[in-house]
Amino acid sequence: MISSAMVGIAFFLHASPRYRRIKKFFYNLLENSAYPYKKFFDYTMITLIIVSVLILIRQVKHDVNSELLFFNNYIISLIFLAEYLLRMWVYSDISDIVIEQYEHDLFLQRPFRLGEAYRKIISKKSEYLFSPAALIDLMAIMPFFHELRMLRVFILFRVFKLFRYTKSLTQFISILSSKKFEIFTLGMFASVIIAVSSILIYIMEANNPASPINTLFDSLYWSVVTIFTVGYGDMVPVTTEGRTVAMAIIVAGIAVISFATSIVVSAFTEKLDEIKEDKLIENVSKMDSFYLICGYSPLSEQVVWQFKKKGAKTLILEADPEKVAQAQKEGFAALALNPSSLHSYQQLQIDWERQVQGAILLHESDVLNVYTALTIRELSVTIKLLSILHQQENRRKLSLAGIDEIVYTQQLVALMSKEVSGRPVAFEVIHALRSENSGVLIEEITLDSYTKNHLFNTAEMVLFERRLILLGIYKTLQKKFLFNPMQTIRIDSGDVAIVIGTKALIDEFKAILHKNAKGKR
C-alpha cells in the first residue's frame, strides 16, 4: 500500500509542470550562476551575514535592543534554515530515484523494493548533508537556539557562507584545491619543523629563570610565530643554544613561505586560461546581441573584421585550441568549444531568440558544417543560418540540415573571373582569393577630395607596384563597380577604392596616400 502510494506520488510529481517549474526556479536561484536573478539573492544573503556579524560585535560591550536581537536570532536564522532545506531539496530529485527503482524492479519482474529506494534517497541526500558547504550552512543556523549562549559563537560561521555567494572566493578555493598534494606536503613539512623546534626550544629554555618560555605551549606559540616570520618579540630565547635554534627556525620559515608562494603562483598560472575562458563564458550570457561564427579560418578572420568595422559583436566557437589562441591574439572573442556539440551550447547558456542575430558556419569541411547546423537547429528553428560550401555535391545536405543561405566559394571566383575577363588583374585576384593561408586582405578605402587625385600615382610606386592590387573603384553616386580601372576614369569624392594585399602593406599604402594628398593641399 505504502509502496503503491509512493510510486503514484513520484509519477505525479515527475509529470507535474508546476512542480518542475517551481523546482527549476529555486535551483536557478540557488545554484545557477548564469540566472539573472541569482545575483540579487546573493547580495541579499551577503547583507544578512554582515548585519548578523555586526550585531554580534555590538553585543560584546553594548546592549542591543530586543527588535534587533529578534531579527538576528529568529528572522535571519529562519531565512538561513529555509535556504538550507531548499538546497537539500534541489540537490537531487526523490521522485526520479523512486521511478528509476520502480522501473528497474519492473524490468526484472520483481516487486518494487521500497527499502532500496529509501536507501538510495538517504545516500543521495547524505552527499549534500555532509558536504563542507552544507555543514557551514548548518552551523550558521545554530544561533537560532539562542538560549544556549555558547552557540552564539556559531554566528561567525555565517561569514564562511560568503564563499557560497562570492564567485571570486569560490574560484580561489577551487584553484588551491588543484594543488592538494603540494599543500599537504607543505603542511607536513611545516608541522614537523614546528614540532621539532617546539621541543628543542623547550629543552633549551624551560629551566632558565630569565627565559619567558616556561611551558610547552609557550614553546609551541614561539615556534609558530617564528616559522611564519611574524616575530612579535614578546617571547625571545635568552640562552645561546636557544638562539641557535631560533636562527635555524627563521631560515626554515623563509623556506616554508617561499614554498607556499610558489604553490599559489603555479596554481594560478596553470588555471589562468581556464579562468579567462570562464569569464568569457560569463560575459557571453550578458551580451545583448551577437553573431555566432562556427569554425576559425582565414575566411572567418575576414568576416569577423568586417563585423568589427560595423560595430557588430561576434563570438567564435572553434574546437582547435591553437586556432582559438590565434583568434584571441587578434583580439576576437573566441572559445575552445566544439560548435557541433550540444554540450558547448549548454555551457554557454545562450538565449537564441534574444542574443543571437545569426550563425555563420565557416568550417573547412562541409561535414562539420552539416553537424553544426543540425545541432543549432535542434536548439533553435528560427535562427538564421549561413554556411560556406566547399564541395558542390554537398549543397543538398547543407540545405536539408536547415541552412538558410549557402555560399559556394568557387561560384564567387567564377563570377569575378567573368567580370574581369581578359584583364591582367583577373588571374592575380583569383590566386589571392584561393590562397587561404597567404594572409591576403581585401580593404575598402574611402577617397576624399584630396586622396582621389593621388590614388593611381601612389599605387604605381615601387613599394606597391607588384605587391598590392588595385582591384577596382566603387562609384558611390552611380552605385557601380569598375574592375581594374584605367587611370583616365573620373574619381569623385566619396568613391571607394578596393585594394588587395597584406595588412601591413595596405596600412602603409593608406599612410603614404594621405601623406601625398596632404603635401598637395
Side-chain angles (χ1 to χ4, degrees):
M1 183 67 180
I2 297 175
S3 299
S4 300
M6 192 167 181
V7 171
I9 293 171
F11 274 104
F12 172 76
L13 293 177
H14 185 77
S16 172
R18 185 180 179 186
Y19 173 80
R20 291 289 168 186
R21 188 168 58 251
I22 292 171
K23 190 161 189 175
K24 185 177 181 181
F25 168 76
F26 281 111
Y27 175 81
N28 288 332
L29 192 67
L30 296 170
E31 303 291 349
N32 186 2
S33 58
Y35 190 58
Y37 299 111
K38 187 181 189 306
K39 61 182 178 181
F40 299 111
F41 172 78
D42 291 346
Y43 293 152
T44 301
M45 299 302 286
I46 290 170
T47 303
L48 290 176
I49 292 168
I50 293 171
V51 168
S52 183
V53 174
L54 288 177
I55 291 172
L56 176 66
I57 296 170
R58 177 75 180 174
Q59 277 184 289
V60 176
K61 288 191 175 183
H62 302 85
D63 292 330
V64 178
N65 63 57
S66 58
E67 288 82 3
L68 270 179
L69 285 176
F70 180 83
F71 178 74
N72 186 42
N73 293 331
Y74 290 102
I75 304 300
I76 294 180
S77 296
L78 284 172
I79 291 172
F80 287 157
L81 176 61
E83 181 207 14
Y84 178 75
L85 295 175
L86 284 170
R87 286 187 186 277
M88 183 168 62
W89 177 47
V90 302
Y91 182 77
S92 61
D93 198 318
I94 293 176
S95 62
D96 288 346
I97 296 173
V98 172
I99 292 170
E100 183 182 348
Q101 183 63 42
Y102 172 75
E103 291 179 343
H104 178 70
D105 290 338
L106 187 65
F107 177 76
L108 297 177
Q109 297 183 349
R110 64 188 180 193
F112 173 59
R113 296 183 298 168
L114 182 60
E116 182 65 17
Y118 277 135
R119 187 192 66 79
K120 289 182 179 179
I121 291 168
I122 293 170
S123 174
K124 200 67 179 176
K125 294 300 182 183
S126 296
E127 289 179 10
Y128 168 75
L129 293 174
F130 292 102
S131 66
L135 291 173
I136 290 172
D137 288 344
L138 182 62
M139 286 185 283
I141 299 166
M142 289 295 184
F144 180 74
F145 306 98
H146 65 287
E147 287 81 4
L148 302 174
R149 294 183 62 83
M150 182 186 70
L151 294 181
R152 288 193 307 168
V153 74
F154 282 94
I155 288 176
L156 292 176
F157 279 95
R158 293 177 178 177
V159 176
F160 292 105
K161 284 172 67 67
L162 290 173
F163 284 96
R164 188 188 286 279
Y165 309 117
T166 50
K167 188 175 180 180
S168 55
L169 290 176
T170 306
Q171 205 168 46
F172 179 72
I173 297 298
S174 174
I175 290 169
L176 291 184
S177 66
S178 67
K179 294 290 182 180
K180 290 177 183 176
F181 176 75
E182 291 85 347
I183 292 173
F184 175 76
T185 304
L186 174 63
M188 291 296 295
F189 176 64
S191 299
V192 169
I193 293 176
I194 289 171
V196 171
S197 62
S198 298
I199 295 169
L200 279 175
I201 205 71
Y202 178 70
I203 294 170
M204 302 300 178
E205 297 286 320
N207 293 323
N208 191 321
S211 175
I213 303 173
N214 298 312
T215 66
L216 192 60
F217 181 79
D218 290 340
S219 64
L220 179 62
Y221 168 78
W222 174 86
S223 295
V224 172
V225 169
T226 304
I227 199 169
F228 290 109
T229 67
V230 178
Y232 288 125
D234 54 343
M235 287 186 180
V236 291
V238 295
T239 64
T240 303
E241 294 83 355
R243 289 172 177 171
T244 304
V245 172
M247 288 188 290
I249 297 306
I250 290 169
V251 174
I254 294 171
V256 169
I257 297 300
S258 301
F259 190 11
T261 304
S262 66
I263 289 173
V264 174
V265 171
S266 64
F268 271 95
T269 302
E270 291 173 8
K271 292 283 186 175
L272 189 60
D273 290 338
E274 187 178 322
I275 293 170
K276 287 181 179 178
E277 186 168 297
D278 289 344
K279 182 64 177 173
L280 184 54
I281 289 174
E282 185 180 342
N283 290 339
V284 167
S285 63
K286 297 176 183 177
M287 291 170 66
D288 292 331
S289 63
F290 60 89
Y291 288 89
L292 191 64
I293 310 296
C294 300
Y296 187 72
S297 63
L299 177 60
S300 307
E301 182 179 346
Q302 298 308 310
V303 170
V304 175
W305 274 119
Q306 292 300 321
F307 277 122
K308 205 168 185 179
K309 285 179 183 178
K310 296 176 181 177
K313 296 178 182 177
T314 58
L315 175 65
I316 300 170
L317 297 186
E318 169 60 57
D320 188 346
E322 291 184 4
K323 290 183 178 181
V324 172
Q326 183 183 349
Q328 290 174 343
K329 189 176 179 182
E330 293 290 336
F332 304 145
L335 288 170
L337 295 173
N338 184 358
S340 62
S341 169
L342 276 173
H343 179 67
S344 300
Y345 302 107
Q346 289 168 354
Q347 280 185 267
L348 291 174
Q349 296 182 336
I350 295 173
D351 184 340
W352 290 92
E353 307 304 322
R354 181 181 63 86
Q355 291 181 286
V356 184
Q357 297 297 303
I360 304 174
L361 316 184
L362 299 175
H363 290 295
E364 296 176 342
S365 162
D366 288 332
V367 175
L368 286 176
N369 286 331
V370 168
Y371 280 131
T372 303
L374 290 171
T375 302
I376 294 176
R377 274 288 172 252
E378 187 173 340
L379 297 167
S380 173
V381 295
T382 58
I383 192 73
K384 189 172 180 62
L385 292 181
L386 184 146
S387 176
I388 200 74
L389 175 65
H390 298 281
Q391 302 291 333
Q392 182 65 36
E393 58 268 24
N394 293 327
R395 177 181 288 275
R396 179 171 171 76
K397 295 175 184 176
L398 288 170
S399 180
L400 290 173
I403 295 172
D404 300 296
E405 291 188 32
I406 300 170
V407 178
Y408 187 36
T409 51
Q410 299 303 320
Q411 285 180 337
L412 294 178
V413 172
L415 177 62
M416 184 169 285
S417 300
K418 182 179 179 180
E419 293 289 340
V420 297
S421 179
R423 303 184 187 181
V425 76
F427 177 77
E428 298 174 67
V429 171
I430 294 169
H431 176 72
L433 289 172
R434 284 175 171 168
S435 301
E436 291 188 353
N437 298 317
S438 64
V440 171
L441 307 180
I442 301 178
E443 186 80 14
E444 303 169 5
I445 303 174
T446 303
L447 304 171
D448 57 25
S449 56
Y450 298 99
T451 53
K452 68 174 186 176
N453 299 321
H454 301 277
L455 177 66
F456 291 110
N457 293 336
T458 306
E460 290 176 351
M461 292 176 62
V462 176
L463 177 63
F464 307 115
E465 189 176 10
R466 295 288 182 183
R467 301 167 63 196
L468 184 136
I469 300 171
L470 177 58
L471 181 61
I473 302 291
Y474 178 73
K475 302 292 292 179
T476 306
L477 294 177
Q478 291 86 357
K479 294 183 179 180
K480 183 180 180 182
F481 187 80
L482 303 176
F483 283 97
N484 195 20
M486 303 295 291
Q487 293 191 24
T488 54
I489 70 164
R490 175 186 171 84
I491 301 177
D492 299 310
S493 179
D495 288 350
V496 179
I498 311 298
V499 296
I500 296 178
T502 62
K503 185 177 186 303
L505 193 67
I506 292 174
D507 289 343
E508 184 68 18
F509 177 78
K510 289 192 289 186
I512 294 176
L513 176 62
H514 284 89
K515 183 179 178 182
N516 291 343
K518 187 177 180 181
K520 298 294 182 179
R521 292 182 187 181

